[in-house]
Amino acid sequence: MKLSNLKIGEKGTIMAFTDLDLSVKLMEMGCLPGEVVEVERFAPLGDPMAIRVAGYQLCLRKSEADVIIIQ
Amino acid sequence: MDIKVALVGNPNTGKSTLFNRLTGLNQKIGNFPGITVDKKTGFMKLPDGKEAEVIDLPGTYSLYPKSNDESIVFQVLADKTNSSFPDVIVLIADASNLKRNLLLFSQVADLGIPMILVLNMIDLSEKQGTKINLIELAQRLGVQVVSISARNNIGIDKLKQAITNMNKVATQLQDVDVNVLAPEAINAIKSKLNTDNDYYALQVLHQHEYLGFFTQQEQNEIEEIEQAHHFESSKIQAAETIARYKHLGSVLSGVVTETKTTEKFATNNKLDAILTHKVWGFAIFLFILFNIFNAIFAWSTYPMAWIESGFSFVTEVGHNYLPQGMLTDLVLDGVIAGLGGIFIFIPQIAILFAFISVLEDTGYMARVTFMMDKIMSKVGLNGKSVVPMIGGLACAVPSIMAARNIENWKDRIITIMVTPLISCSARLPVYILIISLIIPSQKVLGIFNLQGLALMVMYLVGIIAAVLVALVMKFIIKTKERAYFIMELPIYRMPRWKNVLFTMYEKSKTFVFEAGKVIIAISIILWVMASFGPGNRFENIEKKYAPALADTTKPTTHIETLMASEKLENSYVGILGHWIEPAIRPLGYDWKIGIGLITSFAAREAFVGTMATIYSVDGGDEDTSTIRERMASSVNNQTGLPVYSFATGISLMLFYAFAMQCMSTVAIVYRETKGWKWPIIQLVYMTAMAYVAALIAYQLLK
């Protein structure tokens, strides 16, 4: 499942990325395979979204959350 | 200088706060040699009496750059001949988010420069229940570890002592073997560059295009090595990142213990639920914006009036007591009038920057970015464009520089192109002067000042224009690069009031010195041009009025005014103003406004100084009323109507809202885009927009 499919409050574990270039950026920000992510909120207009990962809050667009495969 | 210290760290780790703590007011901003990125340096005394130079490098999450600013970090650390190359690297990490922060540490450590690890915000992370075994961590990493709180001034002395104790040789342990990632290519680079550092060689493979110290031939050779060994940059970066995190996981296991993770972000979440709420979030944002405008207008009234009357007092006293003559006139009507035109805006600039500084400091600005990204991306911008655009309310120059944080080229170019449309503080004097002439000072609904509302409308006009132009450019500019928006949302914090005061002081100073130079120079040139005319025109005018002035039985004030006015019309400036009059007549302007347009081409705020000069020459010496009153009472000789009618005023304000009258902005856009293409496009489109808008407004309203 994609990270962008999660609803607010739902958690998932990062399994893989579907985009190599974005994966480097995301991993540098703490989104590593095996990390647990939790969706905290969506911006007022539905995009971007804020997630809790590696002990801090990260925001990213849904199109970027699409490349993160979670379980 | 005894030792050079570079500060390196992730964004939002308190790097700049620490920099200010270490160096105090003893700092300066310049450019890195050969590159246009800001270089912040400062000086500090160490406990053993030695002096250290501190260099604040741009915040970054890794050594792999995503923007121009970030690429500086490796450029400086890779080049031993760079004047900023440090003896010691102080890596600042957020104690409450150690794992991610140590990714950068482990990359920098592998470059083999002596290092200290600083854990900042230690008080905060302890309160959140994070316990860090510093001694164990220091042993596992092989470097000194110092825990501090830069905000609360805890541990700064310990850090200075650690820098004093520093070895000349790097002691950090190297546990991640990067050589396995691309052994052939790395070994080829190592023998080519005669280095034994695997990670340096790997980084050169990734980033050599950024490294200006390599010759063209060396660049080609590195490129050949890349090709020969099929070096796949992204894949290797990903593998490296995973390897480093794996290693850090084992370093941190048993070193960091968290006791109460769940409540860690409770307050933050409650605040976010309100501040980024669908309805309340935007309402609060608009409320804050409106209050900023209101404050700029309302709070500055008294200090501005004091400055204004102070300067007119000095001019009056000067004319009464100094010997009459050209030099006195030059000083009082040229220089002092120009200075008055600069100092009057200090209150407003200070207030605006106080607000911006508080919004950034508290972490609210990041939430604005988060909320606005969707809207901004619709018009071809990015949530990160909000900061340059809000900064554009103060001055386009630093804001255009702030656009460097936008990683995507197209988003960045569009932000740069539209930021000067946002009404900056230089337009404020023009708006205020004209609003005070054409809009009555009344209360609406009992609270809002009508003039304040008019000002807000002018700001909205700028914002709407910026959005529309961005939208047009979104479809014109083509790019292959993909846009992304990945950003940390820092936790909410109290603003640092000292920092707010420092920003207010610094920005006001920059304005006075940077804009001031232009304005004073223009004031003097103008005074000269207004005080002399070609040939013997001035003599003829004096001859014409001599008999009337010689008649001592009648008061001469009126005749003197007439003579001064005729002289001005025949001066160089008057001739120039008359010359462009046909072009600006359809906009509702006379030749005096024409002069203002010419002089403020270099900098908008010069308009007010110009009017001051023109009308103080025009009014004669005895008239000590302020420029504002003189302008309000000026009448068109042909029609007998006031020069500053409603239609002319609106037309003039629209012209100033859109026209690119700022040499500094042109220069900064040239610098940031590295060419004349974009500054010229900007100059042309903005001037054309200004003329058309002013023309339509005047023709409809007259």
Side-chain angles (χ1 to χ4, degrees):
Chain A
M1 190 169 59
K2 291 171 183 171
L3 172 61
S4 53
N5 297 132
L6 288 188
K7 292 189 179 67
I8 294 175
E10 287 182 343
K11 287 184 186 176
T13 306
I14 299 177
M15 302 306 290
F17 304 95
T18 56
D19 181 294
L20 183 62
D21 287 325
L22 267 179
S23 77
V24 177
K25 175 80 186 166
L26 288 165
M27 283 195 288
E28 280 172 359
M29 302 297 283
C31 295
L32 287 159
E35 284 282 340
V36 175
V37 287
E38 180 184 345
V39 176
E40 293 222 313
R41 58 178 41 84
F42 289 87
L45 300 170
D47 198 14
M49 61 199 286
I51 59 170
R52 175 75 49 195
V53 62
Y56 79 107
Q57 210 177 10
L58 181 74
C59 70
L60 70 171
R61 289 186 185 151
K62 277 182 185 168
S63 59
E64 285 131 21
D66 272 347
V67 312
I68 303 177
I69 306 295
I70 51 151
Q71 200 179 45
Chain B
M1 202 50 45
D2 301 301
I3 183 170
K4 261 186 229 164
V5 181
L7 302 185
V8 180
N10 285 8
N12 306 313
T13 49
K15 221 159 50 67
S16 297
T17 315
L18 176 62
F19 179 76
N20 289 341
R21 277 269 183 244
L22 292 175
T23 60
L25 289 170
N26 195 1
Q27 44 180 267
K28 57 177 189 220
I29 299 174
N31 272 333
F32 285 99
I35 356 176
T36 55
V37 174
D38 278 347
K39 177 184 175 180
K40 256 175 100 182
T41 51
F43 301 92
M44 66 166 170
K45 271 258 176 302
L46 291 173
D48 62 355
K50 286 185 176 163
E51 200 179 26
E53 182 179 353
V54 188
I55 302 146
D56 190 17
L57 290 173
T60 181
Y61 290 102
S62 88
L63 275 187
Y64 296 106
K66 305 290 181 296
S67 66
N68 273 351
D69 262 22
E70 291 182 11
S71 75
I72 291 302
V73 182
F74 185 64
Q75 284 181 59
V76 167
L77 301 183
D79 181 7
K80 288 195 172 64
T81 62
N82 192 306
S83 61
S84 304
F85 185 81
D87 302 302
V88 178
I89 294 171
V90 170
L91 194 130
I92 300 140
D94 175 353
S96 62
N97 190 0
L98 212 44
K99 195 169 173 187
R100 198 200 65 208
N101 278 257
L102 285 185
L103 174 72
L104 180 64
F105 171 89
S106 99
Q107 291 179 333
V108 174
D110 282 356
L111 292 176
I113 302 167
M115 274 183 101
I116 296 174
L117 174 62
V118 168
L119 304 185
N120 194 15
M121 303 184 252
I122 196 75
D123 46 353
L124 202 73
S125 83
E126 273 170 9
K127 217 189 279 170
Q128 292 169 348
T130 307
K131 286 215 165 53
I132 303 168
N133 184 339
L134 295 181
I135 298 163
E136 185 63 33
L137 182 63
Q139 265 171 8
R140 291 189 189 181
L141 296 173
V143 299
Q144 299 185 74
V145 179
V146 183
S147 62
I148 66 162
S149 169
R151 265 170 187 266
N152 300 319
N153 209 1
I154 299 166
I156 305 296
D157 292 334
K158 269 192 295 174
L159 172 59
K160 286 186 180 173
Q161 191 59 52
I163 296 171
T164 315
N165 297 346
M166 210 56 205
N167 275 320
K168 285 254 181 286
V169 187
T171 55
Q172 57 263 31
L173 305 168
Q174 253 168 326
D175 290 316
V176 178
D177 183 11
V178 293
N179 193 284
V180 298
L181 297 170
E184 292 103 352
I186 287 174
N187 291 335
I189 293 285
K190 275 165 75 181
S191 59
K192 170 116 282 147
L193 300 177
N194 204 12
T195 170
D196 58 1
N197 188 314
D198 283 326
Y199 194 54
Y200 175 75
L202 178 64
Q203 280 287 355
V204 165
L205 281 162
H206 284 298
Q207 296 196 47
H208 63 91
E209 293 94 341
Y210 289 112
L211 303 175
F213 57 86
F214 287 133
T215 62
Q216 191 54 50
Q217 200 199 332
E218 284 173 316
Q219 293 279 15
N220 293 342
E221 287 168 1
I222 296 167
E223 195 63 41
E224 273 167 32
I225 293 173
E226 264 190 67
Q227 305 280 336
H229 301 287
H230 309 289
F231 186 80
E232 288 179 275
S233 195
S234 292
K235 227 178 210 170
I236 292 166
Q237 271 183 48
E240 181 199 326
T241 310
I242 290 174
R244 286 192 187 280
Y245 271 120
K246 210 172 153 198
H247 168 62
L248 289 173
S250 64
V251 166
L252 290 178
S253 86
V255 168
V256 180
T257 40
E258 308 218 12
T259 48
K260 36 181 179 180
T261 36
T262 41
E263 33 187 304
K264 200 164 155 182
F265 306 102
T267 328
N268 223 54
N269 279 337
K270 274 181 210 153
L271 276 171
D272 266 343
I274 304 163
L275 293 177
T276 64
H277 185 267
K278 269 179 192 147
V279 180
W280 301 121
F282 287 114
I284 291 168
F285 181 48
L286 282 178
F287 179 75
I288 289 173
L289 271 190
F290 178 76
N291 273 293
I292 293 174
F293 297 128
N294 213 36
I296 288 171
F297 214 81
W299 298 357
S300 60
T301 315
Y302 290 106
M304 284 179 80
W306 297 332
I307 294 168
E308 203 172 17
S309 57
F311 273 91
S312 62
F313 174 76
V314 169
T315 313
E316 190 186 335
V317 169
H319 276 302
N320 287 342
Y321 293 97
L322 289 175
Q324 286 211 342
M326 201 118 74
L327 190 66
T328 303
D329 285 352
L330 171 65
V331 169
L332 294 177
D333 299 330
V335 179
I336 301 282
L339 275 178
I342 299 162
F343 276 85
I344 193 114
F345 307 119
I346 291 180
Q348 284 162 335
I349 290 169
I351 292 168
L352 179 62
F353 273 103
F355 277 102
I356 289 183
S357 168
V358 169
L359 295 186
E360 273 185 349
D361 236 30
T362 49
Y364 181 71
M365 206 68 116
R367 269 67 188 188
V368 173
T369 307
F370 175 63
M371 283 196 291
M372 299 296 284
D373 182 64
K374 180 125 190 221
I375 301 176
M376 301 299 268
S377 65
K378 283 231 162 78
V379 296
L381 294 164
N382 179 308
K384 289 185 183 175
S385 312
V386 173
V387 176
M389 287 178 78
I390 290 178
L393 293 169
C395 179
V397 175
S399 309
I400 284 171
M401 288 161 71
R404 278 198 205 125
N405 290 330
I406 303 168
E407 295 93 342
N408 181 271
W409 175 83
K410 183 174 169 177
D411 290 0
R412 186 164 160 249
I413 279 288
I414 297 179
T415 308
I416 289 174
M417 293 308 277
V418 302
T419 296
L421 285 170
I422 305 289
S423 286
C424 65
S425 57
R427 288 178 178 97
L428 201 52
V430 182
Y431 290 165
I432 291 169
L433 181 68
I434 297 169
I435 286 175
S436 70
L437 287 171
I438 63 166
I439 309 278
S441 177
Q442 279 175 0
K443 288 264 156 87
V444 187
L445 303 172
I447 17 169
F448 302 123
N449 182 313
L450 192 60
Q451 293 185 333
L453 281 177
L455 184 69
M456 188 170 166
V457 168
M458 286 315 296
Y459 275 92
L460 284 177
V461 163
I463 293 165
I464 293 165
V467 167
L468 292 178
V469 171
L471 196 58
V472 171
M473 289 192 167
K474 180 187 173 185
F475 293 106
I476 295 176
I477 301 174
K478 299 277 175 242
T479 176
K480 278 181 201 150
E481 209 183 345
R482 68 184 286 181
Y484 65 83
F485 180 80
I486 300 173
M487 190 189 71
E488 177 177 356
L489 288 175
I491 54 164
Y492 288 106
R493 283 175 218 156
M494 283 301 288
R496 293 155 296 174
W497 300 110
K498 241 189 202 168
N499 191 46
V500 175
L501 286 176
F502 190 73
T503 313
M504 288 166 78
Y505 165 76
E506 203 178 43
K507 300 295 173 185
S508 308
K509 195 178 98 181
T510 312
F511 174 76
V512 169
F513 284 92
E514 294 307 311
K517 272 183 270 178
V518 183
I519 297 169
I520 290 285
I522 289 174
S523 294
I524 293 173
I525 292 169
L526 258 177
W527 179 85
V528 171
M529 285 175 70
S531 305
F532 299 93
N536 55 358
R537 288 196 194 189
F538 273 36
E539 282 168 40
N540 291 341
I541 295 167
E542 269 163 31
K543 266 185 211 154
K544 183 176 144 195
Y545 285 97
L549 284 170
D551 183 359
T552 47
T553 57
K554 287 175 196 160
T556 55
T557 325
H558 179 62
I559 295 158
E560 273 174 2
T561 311
L562 280 180
M563 185 173 82
S565 165
E566 198 167 323
K567 271 186 176 177
L568 182 67
E569 209 171 335
N570 283 285
S571 69
Y572 288 107
V573 111
I575 292 165
L576 198 61
H578 278 296
W579 186 69
I580 65 157
E581 213 176 5
I584 56 172
R585 173 69 61 196
L587 311 183
Y589 311 154
D590 66 356
W591 56 275
K592 286 180 189 170
I593 299 176
I595 297 165
L597 292 185
I598 293 168
T599 55
S600 59
F601 186 71
R604 298 176 182 94
E605 60 274 36
F607 177 78
V608 180
T610 306
M611 291 297 122
T613 310
I614 290 178
Y615 282 91
S616 60
V617 174
D618 195 9
D621 293 343
E622 286 96 69
D623 194 348
T624 53
S625 62
T626 62
I627 319 147
R628 222 178 271 182
E629 289 162 17
R630 285 184 197 167
M631 289 174 75
S633 60
S634 65
V635 163
N636 187 318
N637 289 338
Q638 279 140 33
T639 58
L641 295 166
V643 173
Y644 292 92
S645 67
F646 185 72
T648 302
I650 297 293
S651 157
L652 202 52
M653 282 202 289
L654 284 175
F655 191 90
Y656 275 85
F658 298 142
M660 172 51 128
Q661 295 154 298
C662 181
M663 284 299 129
S664 318
T665 305
V666 176
I668 206 82
V669 174
Y670 166 72
R671 210 181 75 152
E672 293 292 311
T673 61
K674 298 188 179 69
W676 282 112
K677 182 183 166 191
W678 295 106
I680 287 172
I681 292 175
Q682 196 171 33
L683 184 68
V684 170
Y685 99 75
M686 286 178 69
T687 310
M689 232 168 101
Y691 191 91
V692 172
L695 181 70
I696 293 171
Y698 181 73
Q699 296 301 334
L700 287 180
L701 293 171
K702 72 170 179 182

